[in-house]
Amino acid sequence: MYFSILLLFFVLGTIFGSFYNVVGYRVPKGESLLYPSSHCTKCNHKLGSLELIPVLSFLLLGGKCKNCKDKISWFYPIFEFTSGILFALSYAVYGFSLECLLSIVFISMLLIIIISDYQTMIIPDSVLIVFSAMIILIKFFIVGINGVGISLLHALGSFIFMLLLKLFGDFLFKKESMGGGDIKLLAVFGLMFGFPMSMVSVFMSAIIGLPISLIVLKKNSSHEIPFGPFLAIAAILIVLLKLDINTILNLLTI
C-alpha cells in the first residue's frame, strides 16, 4: 500500500511538473496558460494526448517531434521526472498529512521559479502571491491563527533584512546586487520555515551556486546567472531534510 501511494505521488508530480514548466515559461512573458495549446516550438505541430504523457511520451517518440522530427530537449523529461521524485519524497518524509500538502505546494512554487528565473531572469509576483496565500491557508489548519501571525512576522523580517542587504550591495558594487524577486522569495521562505532558516537558505544557495557559477563564467564571462534556482534548491533541501536552526547549530558545533 505504501509503495502504491508513493507511486501515485510520483505520477501526480510528473503531471504537475509538465504543467509547471508551461507556467514558468509563459507567466513571466505575460502569455496565456491555455492558448496556444502545447505545441512543437519548431513546426508548431499541436501535441496530441499521447504526446503529452510526462516522461513516457519523450521516450516513446525517441526524443523527437512526431511531425518534423526535430529533437526535443532532454530538459523536459528530466524536469518532469524530478518533479515526480520531489512529490514522492514529500509523501515519504511527511506521510499523508497537511505537512505533506504544505511541502508539495511550497516545492511546486519553487519548481515554477526555477523555470521562470532560469528562462527569463524573472520571478513573477503572481506566482509568489498565489502560493503564499495557499501556504498561509494550509498553515492556518496546522498551527492556527497565532502561528500564522508569527509566520507573517518572520516573512516581514526576512524581507526587510534582504532589502537592507540589497541596498548595501548596491552601494558597495555601484550596481544592482540582487533582484527584487529574490527579496520577495526570501519573504516566502520566512513565511514557510522562519527567519533564521531563511537566512541559512541564502548561505546554502551560495555554496550550491558558487561552483556552478564558476564553471559557467569560465565558459562565458558575460553570462548572467540567476540566483533564484539556487535559492529554490536550498529551500527544497531544508523542507525535505526537515532542517531547523537547532539542527544547523548542532552541526556547526560538532
Side-chain angles (χ1 to χ4, degrees), residues 73-88:
S73 173
W74 274 91
F75 177 83
Y76 298 112
I78 290 174
F79 183 80
E80 292 164 355
F81 182 81
T82 301
S83 300
I85 291 294
L86 292 176
F87 270 51

Side-chain angles (χ1 to χ4, degrees), residues 135-136 139-140 143-157 190-191:
I135 290 170
I136 290 172
K139 277 212 156 195
F140 171 77
V143 297
I145 188 67
N146 291 334
V148 169
I150 293 172
S151 294
L152 289 171
L153 289 176
H154 280 279
L156 179 61
L191 176 67

